[in-house]
Amino acid sequence: MLGPEVHIDYLTKKVRGYTERNHDVDLAYVAGGTVLVAGEVKMTGSPPYLRRSYVQKERKTQSDLDKRLKEVKFTAVDLKLYHTPNEVIVKILSSDGDLLSATLPLWWDEWVKASIPGFYSFWASRLASGQLKNGKVVNADNPDLLLEKFDRLRKYNNAVGVFMFKEENDRYVPVEVENIKKAKSDDR
């Protein structure tokens, strides 16, 4: 229960940012006209499927991931710039008028953590298994590279959730981090 002091204005998906009038996010919690929590849910990768008269080939998670990551980074920063009160920014950057840290990662990390809205992204990624050509697998997703990219997204989001899965014997099965690291060490 929220208690009597908490007043929810509305839950919405369209929220104003600093440069964009409307961000269409998947999750937004708004109170008193301020977006307190926002987030995106993304699905990447697709299996081959019949499309009209031909079979559409499998789509890798990596195919348009960089573009989608940039969109999520921009949305998070644009919302934080618009909704974070100046007093919070001043508090992050100074203590009694002294700059706490002039080095980018330290003040940036503090700003992302303390600014509002808290921005969260959740990703489900179907890993492409690729095709066998000349005895080698080609066009398969690289789980290590994907994890690295999602990890870097944490510099812009308060948290990032990732669920990777692949097809085995006509079933979807989760890909565990331990298996990714094991596969990488087996390649050496």
Side-chain angles (χ1 to χ4, degrees):
M1 189 157 143
L2 295 173
E5 70 282 346
V6 177
H7 172 71
I8 300 174
D9 285 345
Y10 54 92
L11 295 172
T12 184
K13 288 177 44 173
K14 291 204 182 281
V15 292
R16 182 175 176 103
Y18 185 74
T19 62
E20 298 296 315
R21 188 170 294 270
N22 285 308
H23 285 281
D24 190 10
V25 295
D26 296 318
L27 162 76
Y29 171 71
V30 181
T34 301
V35 180
L36 299 175
V37 177
E40 294 278 353
V41 178
K42 301 289 186 187
M43 175 69 199
T44 60
S46 67
Y49 60 92
L50 185 60
R51 185 175 182 163
R52 297 185 189 111
S53 60
Y54 67 95
V55 174
Q56 178 70 39
K57 68 180 182 176
E58 145 180 86
R59 184 166 177 82
K60 292 172 37 173
T61 285
Q62 291 167 219
S63 293
D64 64 349
L65 185 62
D66 290 338
K67 177 181 176 267
R68 297 178 84 190
L69 289 169
K70 286 177 189 175
E71 290 170 357
V72 170
K73 290 174 188 176
F74 170 72
T75 300
V77 170
D78 200 48
L79 292 177
K80 287 174 179 289
L81 282 171
Y82 185 76
H83 293 280
T84 301
N86 285 337
E87 306 83 58
V88 173
I89 295 170
V90 169
K91 184 179 177 186
I92 293 166
L93 293 177
S94 66
S95 175
D96 297 328
D98 295 330
L99 191 63
L100 285 179
S101 174
T103 57
L104 176 66
L106 294 178
W107 73 260
W108 178 264
D109 293 346
E110 188 62 31
W111 180 74
V112 168
K113 184 171 65 172
S115 59
I116 56 174
F119 195 90
Y120 304 87
S121 62
F122 309 92
W123 301 77
S125 297
R126 180 199 174 274
L127 299 185
S129 53
Q131 302 87 33
L132 193 60
K133 287 189 180 177
N134 300 328
K136 291 183 92 176
V137 175
V138 295
N139 293 326
D141 275 309
N142 178 343
D144 283 325
L145 175 63
L146 295 172
L147 282 177
E148 183 179 310
K149 288 180 181 224
F150 287 124
D151 186 50
R152 288 183 179 161
L153 182 59
R154 294 183 316 140
K155 282 285 196 191
Y156 299 85
N157 292 188
N158 293 81
V160 177
V162 179
F163 175 71
M164 288 189 213
F165 60 97
K166 62 182 178 177
E167 285 186 57
E168 276 184 10
N169 302 321
D170 295 326
R171 294 182 59 214
Y172 288 126
V173 296
V175 176
E176 298 178 22
V177 174
E178 294 80 22
N179 292 345
I180 294 169
K181 290 179 181 175
K182 182 182 180 303
K184 187 175 181 181
S185 65
D186 289 347
D187 290 343
R188 292 180 189 172

